[in-house]
Amino acid sequence: KFHGAAWELYLRATLIRAGLDLEKTSAVGPDICARVDGRRVWIEATTVEPGDPTKADSVRGRVDGQTSGVLFPVEQLLLRLTSSIDSKLRQVRTWIERGVVPSDEPVVLAINYGTILDADLHDVQVPAMVQAVFAVGTPVWLVTVADGSSSAPPIETVVPPRHSVSKSGVDIRTDVFRRPESAALTGILYARQL
């Protein structure tokens, strides 16, 4: 896959430009191992694709070069992100169980979803990646109708929780960093463009 290879190459070049030393990694395990202040940090690079358009968790966006005037629902994007994160998290836990990655060394997922056309348009207030891992919903405005007796601000922005998104009637959790089984992950680095 071109985009995946390009993303990994970009990450390697960026880390080298930042002055970090990279270690050779095996075919089984994370894509990149960098030395940061003498400590190894493992980085697993992945790209999130739009998915099979016939499936419920795919992103059905516009055709490149055309405008539609309608943005796909953020839930489709969140399903693609959470699916990718959960898949990679299972891989990371397997690598730790098999001793490929020591349990006391940090592991970072580097996720790029630039192949999903217009995905960055969902990142105006709360980025989709933040919504996918911290159970944060889409911001809403609360408008207070003033009758003169309230000192409340007329417009207030509220970010409600979103603990899951639905895929074919099944709730998919959006709280990666709140789950104990995610302790293997130190963090997520993400980019919206390739």
Side-chain angles (χ1 to χ4, degrees), residues 13-64:
T14 301
L15 294 168
I16 291 168
R17 245 190 333 254
L20 300 178
D21 292 323
L22 302 185
E23 293 184 6
K24 184 176 171 86
T25 57
S26 72
V28 177
D31 299 309
I32 301 169
C33 182
R35 286 263 174 199
V36 179
D37 295 329
R39 186 171 183 196
R40 290 195 303 189
V41 175
W42 299 90
I43 302 169
E44 174 62 9
T46 189
T47 55
V48 178
E49 304 290 330
D52 180 347
T54 64
K55 304 251 172 119
D57 68 342
S58 70
V59 175
R60 295 177 193 95
R62 67 177 172 87
V63 176
D64 194 12

Side-chain angles (χ1 to χ4, degrees), residues 7-158:
W7 174 232
E8 184 180 334
L9 184 61
Y10 175 82
L11 288 168
R12 288 178 182 277
T14 301
L15 294 168
I16 291 168
R17 245 190 333 254
L20 300 178
D21 292 323
L22 302 185
E23 293 184 6
K24 184 176 171 86
T25 57
S26 72
V28 177
D31 299 309
I32 301 169
C33 182
R35 286 263 174 199
V36 179
D37 295 329
R39 186 171 183 196
R40 290 195 303 189
V41 175
W42 299 90
I43 302 169
E44 174 62 9
T46 189
T47 55
V48 178
E49 304 290 330
D52 180 347
T54 64
K55 304 251 172 119
D57 68 342
S58 70
V59 175
R60 295 177 193 95
R62 67 177 172 87
V63 176
D64 194 12
Q66 296 179 3
T67 57
S68 68
V70 177
L71 186 59
F72 59 84
V74 71
E75 290 78 11
Q76 291 174 338
L77 178 58
L78 295 178
L79 285 170
R80 298 304 302 157
L81 294 173
T82 55
S83 174
S84 179
I85 293 166
D86 287 344
S87 172
K88 289 298 179 178
L89 180 57
R90 282 190 299 277
Q91 265 188 322
V92 168
R93 287 197 315 259
T94 299
W95 293 330
I96 291 171
E97 289 167 8
R98 293 183 180 166
V100 175
V101 174
S103 62
D104 63 339
E105 293 184 348
V107 179
V108 174
L109 290 184
I111 301 173
N112 186 303
Y113 54 101
T115 59
I116 300 177
L117 200 59
D118 296 335
D120 57 323
L121 298 177
H122 281 294
D123 290 350
V124 176
Q125 291 182 321
V126 178
M129 184 60 73
V130 172
Q131 293 182 50
V133 299
F134 288 116
V136 175
T138 304
V140 295
W141 285 356
L142 296 179
V143 179
T144 304
V145 178
D147 64 0
S149 64
S150 174
S151 62
I155 299 177
E156 179 181 3
T157 302
V158 177

